[in-house]
Amino acid sequence: MQSTGTRNPATTPTHCPYCALQCGMNLTPVEGGTVEVSERADFPVNRGALCGKGRTAAAVLAPGARLTSPLMRSGDGALVQAGWDEALDRIAGNLERTRARYGADALGVFGGGGLTNEKAYALGKFARVVLGTSQIDYNGRFCMSSAAAAGTRAFGLDRGLPFPLEDVPRTGCVILVGSNPAETMPPSLRYFTELRENGGTLIVVDPRRTRTAEQADLHLAPRPGTDLALALGMLHLVVAEGRVDEAYVEERTSGWEEARAAAMAHWPEHVERITGVSVPELREAVRLFCAPEAAMVLTARGPEQQAKGTDTVGAWINLCLATGRAGRPLSGYGCLTGQGNGQGGREHGQKADQLPGYRKLTDPAARRHVAGVWGVDPDSLPGPGRSAYELLDALGTDVRSLLVMGSNPVVSAPRAAHVEERLRSLDFLAVCDVVLSETAELADVVLPVTQWAEETGTTTSLEGRVLLRRRAITPPDGVRGDLEVLHGLAGRLGVEKGFPTDPEEVFEELRRASAGGPADYSGIDYRRLAEENGVFWPCPAPTGGDDTRNPTAPHPGTPRLFLDRFATDDGRARFVPVAHRPSAEEPDDEYPVLLTTGRVVSQYQSGAQTRRVAELNAAAPGPFVELHPRLAARLGAAEGDPLAVVSRRGRAVAPARITTGIRPDTVFMPFHWPGEGRANTLTNPALDPTSRMPEFKVCAVRVETVTS
C-alpha cells in the first residue's frame, strides 16, 4: 500500500501501528512522494511476516482517509475547519472555565493503548501537573487489566509475557485460554505451529472453534464465563492424581494450603456441569499439561474480560504454580496483550492509579520520586481516580469536560449507547485522533495528529520488549504530533516548561521517572533500541553511569523474569485461593442465550482506522451474528438473514452466520463496527472488583429474526 508524504531518501525500519506483536516492517519512499510497506526479516518476532492489517497500514496515511485540519463545532452545530491557535485556545479556555467553576476533578482525560510511551507519559503528567485532576484512565483498562492485577498479586510484578515468544516453540505444552491469535495477531501463529512441529502440544480453551482452535491437539469449549471453574477443576485433578510439584511449592511459593482447599471444592463432575467440558476432556488436558518437563499457560481477553477476570487468571496461575511451571526455563504464565502499546501505556502514567515506572500512586516514596523528576510538590499530585468505564459513566455529571487522545469509546466501551449519551452530555469534549472516529464526530474540537510513520517514539510489546518506531515521512500540512498538542495546551494553561515536543527528550525524562520502579527503563536509550532491536525491561541504568572513572557495563535487559526469585518481598510466588461464581448476568427465560464478543482478522479494535482501508473492508465488510445450526433452526433463520440480538442494555442487528463451530447456547459478534450492528451496545459494564475490567465476554441476550 502507498500513502502521501514528503520524500525520504532512505528506507526506514520501523514497527506496525496495530497489535502488541509490534511486527517489524520497512517503509520505503517511492516516486511521487509516497511510501511502501515491505517485509523486515531482521526483527525476530515476526521474521518478516505481516498480516493484512500490517501490509495495508500505509493506506490510512493517505489524505482522503485521515484528518488534515483542526475542526471546531460552529454555531449551527457543524464541525468546520479551524486554525491550530484557534482550536488550542478554545480547548484551553474551556478546560480552565470548567476547573474554575467545578474544580480540577471535573476535568477528565481518556487515553489509548496505541499511544507511544512518550505520549502516554506526557499525557499522565499533563493530567496531574497541568490540570491537577485525578480523572485519567485509558482504553487499555479494557485490555489486560485483569491479567495485570492477577500477575501482580501472584508474582509481585506484571509484564504481559515474562519470557520472549521465542520460548513458546521450545516448551512442551501450551494452554491457550480465550485467545485466537490466528485472527488477532496472525504472525504469532507460527510459534504455536512450531511448538507442535517440535513435538509439543497445544490446548485451546474457547467456546468457539476458531481458526486457532482448529490447530490444537485438544480444544475445550466451555460455556462463556466458566473459565474459572475449568481452571479449578484442572487443579483439583492435579492434586487428586498426585501431580503437584511438592518441592517447588515448598521452596518457591506461599499460600498453597488455602488454594488447594479452594480447588478441591471443584471436583470434575461438578466442573463438567458448570462448564460443559466433559470429565475425560479435563483429565486429558491435565495429562497433556503435566507430561512434559516444561509448559505454559497463556491467557487473553476471553478469561480476562469478565467481572471475575482477576480471579480467573489467578486460577490459571495457581495451576502453573502447583505444577512448578513458573519462574523456570521455558515455563510460566503469560498474557497475550492486545493493543500496540497496552503494556507501556499503563506503565508510565495513563492508568488511574499508576505513576511512571509502574509505580503506585498511593505510595509516598513513588510520589516523592516522580514529583522530584517533575519539579512539583508531591502533595500537589492528585490521588487515584476512576477506572475507564467509571470515568465514562461519570461524564456530564461529576466530569464536565473531557480530553480524549487515541481512543474511540463510542464503539469500544461496554454499554456503548449509554457511553455515547454520556459523551453527548458533556459541557465540552476535545478529541485528538488520526481520523474522524465516531467519538470525534461528537466533539467540540477535533485535532488531527500524526501517525506511526510520521513520528518517532517507543512502544513496549507483549514480550516487554521496548522498541523504537522511527519517523519515515513528513506529516501533511495542518497535522501536528500529540506532544505538540500537550505542549501547546500546557503553555496556555500556565505551565511553560516540562512538556517538550521532541520525543527523545521526553523519553530521557521518562527514564529518570521510571528509575528504581518495577518497570525500570533507566538503562534504555534510543541508541540501544536502534542497535539491539529492542531491550526488555526492567533495565536499570548502570551504577557507574557514563562516568569513565567508574565504568560499568550496561544492563542487558531482562528477557526472562522470575528465574531466580519472584518480585515479592520474600521472593516467593503467592497462591491466591479463588472459587467459581456465576457471571454477573446469567441466562433466564427472557434472555436465554449467552453473547460473547471478539475480533476478526481484517479489522482492528473499534475499526476507526481499518474500516477506511478498502482491502480490509472487502474481506470483513460488516458485523455478523455467529450462531449454531440448532439455534438457527429454532429461530427459523437462514444464512445471511438479519438477526436482532437484544440485551438489557439495547439491541443490535446483523446478518446471521451459521456454523457448528460455536456452542448452541452461545452467539458471537465482532465489535469493530458502529451503528445498528454495534456489539458493545449489548455488553455488560459489570466490573471486576480488583481490576475494574468490564464483563465484555459474557452477557445474557435473546435472538430474534427481523422482518422487513
Side-chain angles (χ1 to χ4, degrees):
M1 295 298 299
Q2 298 180 346
S3 65
T4 299
T6 300
R7 184 177 180 82
N8 188 322
T11 292
T12 301
T14 190
H15 295 273
C16 179
Y18 292 117
C19 82
L21 282 182
Q22 287 297 281
C23 291
M25 59 171 55
N26 287 319
L27 300 182
T28 305
V30 295
E31 186 177 354
T34 60
V35 65
E36 184 176 72
V37 173
S38 61
E39 296 179 353
R40 180 183 163 195
D42 70 311
F43 186 61
V45 173
N46 62 308
R47 293 176 253 167
L50 293 171
C51 74
K53 294 185 291 289
R55 286 188 296 98
T56 61
V60 188
L61 295 166
R66 50 95 59 85
L67 295 169
T68 56
S69 171
L71 302 174
M72 285 181 28
R73 189 75 57 185
S74 65
D76 64 3
L79 283 172
V80 298
Q81 290 190 2
W84 270 95
D85 286 340
E86 183 184 12
L88 291 171
D89 287 345
R90 184 166 177 185
I91 295 173
N94 276 277
L95 295 177
E96 188 58 70
R97 283 189 290 275
T98 297
R99 181 166 60 182
R101 182 173 181 182
Y102 300 106
D105 274 357
L107 302 176
V109 176
F110 199 86
L115 301 182
T116 62
N117 289 317
E118 293 80 0
K119 293 191 283 188
Y121 172 84
L123 187 62
K125 181 181 178 182
F126 176 82
R128 296 180 173 103
V129 172
V130 179
L131 300 182
T133 183
S134 66
Q135 301 302 303
I136 175 173
D137 211 78
Y138 83 128
N139 62 19
R141 175 79 67 171
F142 301 155
C143 180
M144 60 175 290
S145 58
S146 293
T152 301
R153 193 165 68 177
F155 306 130
L157 179 68
D158 151 58
R159 193 180 80 186
L161 292 180
F163 40 75
L165 276 168
E166 67 184 43
D167 286 1
V168 170
R170 300 163 57 209
T171 193
C173 177
V174 171
I175 303 179
L176 195 58
V177 189
S179 177
N180 183 16
E183 298 206 51
T184 59
M185 43 183 66
S188 73
L189 192 64
R190 67 170 59 185
Y191 291 98
F192 302 101
T193 302
E194 290 170 7
L195 164 74
R196 299 184 69 214
E197 290 172 348
N198 292 340
T201 55
L202 176 63
I203 302 170
V204 171
V205 179
D206 199 303
R208 304 168 60 224
R209 188 162 182 81
T210 63
R211 294 183 187 179
T212 305
E214 289 173 354
Q215 308 299 314
D217 297 281
L218 177 63
H219 173 215
L220 307 179
R223 183 175 178 267
T226 64
D227 308 270
L228 174 53
L230 182 67
L232 287 164
M234 289 182 65
L235 182 53
H236 178 111
L237 286 171
V238 165
V239 176
E241 295 176 359
R243 298 179 185 271
V244 175
D245 189 332
E246 301 283 359
Y248 172 92
V249 168
E250 175 68 24
E251 180 184 350
R252 299 204 60 188
T253 73
S254 62
W256 167 234
E257 293 303 323
E258 295 83 356
R260 179 177 63 181
M264 296 314 287
H266 298 77
W267 60 96
E269 292 77 12
H270 179 52
V271 169
E272 180 180 60
R273 287 194 293 272
I274 293 171
T275 65
V277 176
S278 70
V279 172
E281 288 177 312
L282 281 172
R283 293 189 184 278
E284 178 66 0
V286 169
R287 185 190 70 79
L288 292 173
F289 184 65
C290 294
E293 182 177 348
M296 299 173 179
V297 172
L298 304 178
T299 68
R301 307 301 80 75
E304 298 164 18
Q305 287 181 328
Q306 298 184 31
K308 53 182 181 290
T310 301
D311 284 354
T312 301
V313 173
W316 290 104
I317 291 175
N318 286 349
L319 179 66
C320 290
L321 294 177
T323 53
R325 307 305 176 90
R328 285 179 166 172
L330 306 180
S331 287
Y333 163 76
C335 165
L336 298 178
T337 312
Q339 295 191 79
N341 198 32
Q343 182 79 45
R346 72 178 182 283
E347 289 168 7
H348 299 299
Q350 282 192 99
K351 202 174 175 191
D353 56 354
Q354 287 179 189
L355 287 169
Y358 224 143
R359 288 181 159 91
K360 293 181 179 178
L361 192 51
T362 53
D363 179 359
R367 293 170 67 89
R368 285 194 300 272
H369 175 84
V370 174
V373 174
W374 289 350
V376 300
D377 184 342
D379 291 339
S380 71
L381 297 178
R386 292 175 172 88
S387 70
Y389 179 76
E390 291 167 304
L391 173 57
L392 295 170
D393 189 41
L395 299 181
T397 53
D398 294 335
V399 177
R400 309 300 295 252
S401 293
L402 182 69
L403 172 65
V404 176
M405 188 170 281
S407 188
N408 188 20
V410 167
V411 178
S412 64
R415 197 185 174 196
H418 172 72
V419 169
E420 181 177 346
E421 177 187 336
R422 292 292 84 216
L423 285 161
R424 292 181 184 276
S425 73
L426 282 164
D427 295 349
F428 181 77
L429 172 63
V431 173
C432 305
D433 211 331
V434 171
V435 299
L436 190 64
S437 69
E438 287 72 26
T439 302
E441 289 176 353
L442 305 181
D444 298 286
V445 179
V446 183
L447 299 180
V449 291
T450 51
Q451 301 188 55
W452 98 110
E454 301 162 347
E455 60 187 13
T456 294
T458 62
T459 61
T460 305
S461 75
L462 80 169
E463 302 177 298
R465 188 195 301 253
V466 185
L467 301 164
L468 181 63
R469 284 189 190 164
R470 299 167 175 88
R471 174 170 166 157
I473 192 170
T474 301
D477 292 338
V479 174
R480 296 185 184 179
D482 294 284
L483 295 178
E484 294 177 89
V485 170
L486 295 176
H487 173 84
L489 291 176
R492 286 167 170 79
L493 291 166
V495 180
E496 300 292 340
K497 296 182 179 180
F499 290 88
T501 59
D502 176 48
E504 188 168 8
E505 187 176 348
V506 176
F507 190 79
E508 289 300 304
E509 183 178 302
L510 181 158
R511 293 175 63 195
R512 299 194 301 274
S514 73
D520 190 336
Y521 284 30
S522 61
I524 304 173
D525 58 30
Y526 275 27
R527 178 193 58 79
R528 284 194 67 180
L529 295 177
E531 293 176 356
E532 300 176 30
N533 248 338
V535 178
F536 292 87
W537 72 261
C539 182
T543 56
D546 295 327
D547 186 351
T548 56
R549 293 167 299 179
N550 183 22
T552 303
H555 191 284
T558 313
R560 296 169 181 86
L561 296 170
F562 313 137
L563 294 180
D564 299 319
R565 70 188 309 274
F566 294 97
T568 56
D569 291 340
D570 60 5
R572 292 172 172 266
R574 301 185 185 98
F575 282 97
V576 177
V578 295
H580 174 72
R581 57 186 185 271
S583 297
E585 191 174 80
E586 291 287 338
D588 57 23
D589 291 342
E590 188 176 2
Y591 300 98
V593 177
L594 290 168
L595 167 70
T596 192
T597 63
R599 289 166 49 187
V600 297
V601 67
S602 294
Q603 299 289 352
Y604 182 72
Q605 303 298 74
S606 75
Q609 295 187 43
T610 51
R611 284 187 276 111
R612 288 165 168 80
V613 179
E615 181 179 331
L616 300 179
N617 278 335
F624 57 86
V625 181
E626 185 178 282
L627 72 165
H628 192 274
R630 269 191 264 163
L631 178 56
R634 288 205 302 270
L635 295 169
E639 181 78 12
D641 284 354
L643 293 178
V645 182
V646 184
S647 78
R648 290 177 173 85
R649 290 153 296 280
R651 180 176 187 264
V653 178
R657 183 173 292 183
I658 301 172
T659 173
T660 57
I662 191 169
R663 292 174 55 96
D665 59 2
T666 301
V667 295
F668 166 83
M669 291 187 71
F671 67 88
H672 310 290
W673 289 274
E676 71 170 3
R678 180 174 60 186
N680 276 321
T681 296
L682 309 168
T683 48
N684 191 352
L687 300 180
D688 181 285
T690 303
S691 68
R692 316 308 288 170
M693 168 72 84
E695 192 152 73
F696 286 99
K697 286 300 180 183
V698 53
C699 71
V701 298
R702 66 174 179 268
V703 185
E704 304 169 339
T705 55
V706 177
T707 56
S708 55

